[in-house]
Amino acid sequence: MPFDIHTHGLWLLGGIFMFVAALIAGNVEWVEGTTMASFWLSVALSFVLFLIAGMCWISAAINSRR
């Protein structure tokens, strides 16, 4: 099967988004010097990146069925 950007590319892109989101989510903790805005911004950013990764994988699954 040749490389198809709509299936394999989205699958790889979803993996990259998941990796970055896991890096951010794994390092979120409340330490001295952390502001409330930066804490919640990193939580929201990791959540959005997890959602984008899921959308990429769902799109890749739909494209592979065609």
Side-chain angles (χ1 to χ4, degrees):
M1 173 182 259
F3 185 82
D4 184 21
I5 192 67
H6 297 294
T7 54
H8 299 101
L10 286 173
W11 181 71
L12 291 172
L13 195 60
I16 292 169
F17 279 124
M18 181 68 74
F19 178 70
V20 172
L23 282 177
I24 294 171
N27 289 318
V28 171
E29 61 180 298
W30 189 265
V31 294
E32 186 177 346
T34 304
T35 63
M36 186 71 76
S38 66
F39 178 79
W40 287 111
L41 182 66
S42 61
V43 169
L45 180 63
S46 65
F47 181 69
V48 168
L49 288 174
F50 279 125
L51 291 178
I52 292 171
M55 288 190 315
C56 286
W57 287 339
I58 290 170
S59 297
I62 290 171
N63 287 329
S64 69
R65 294 288 297 172
R66 292 183 185 171

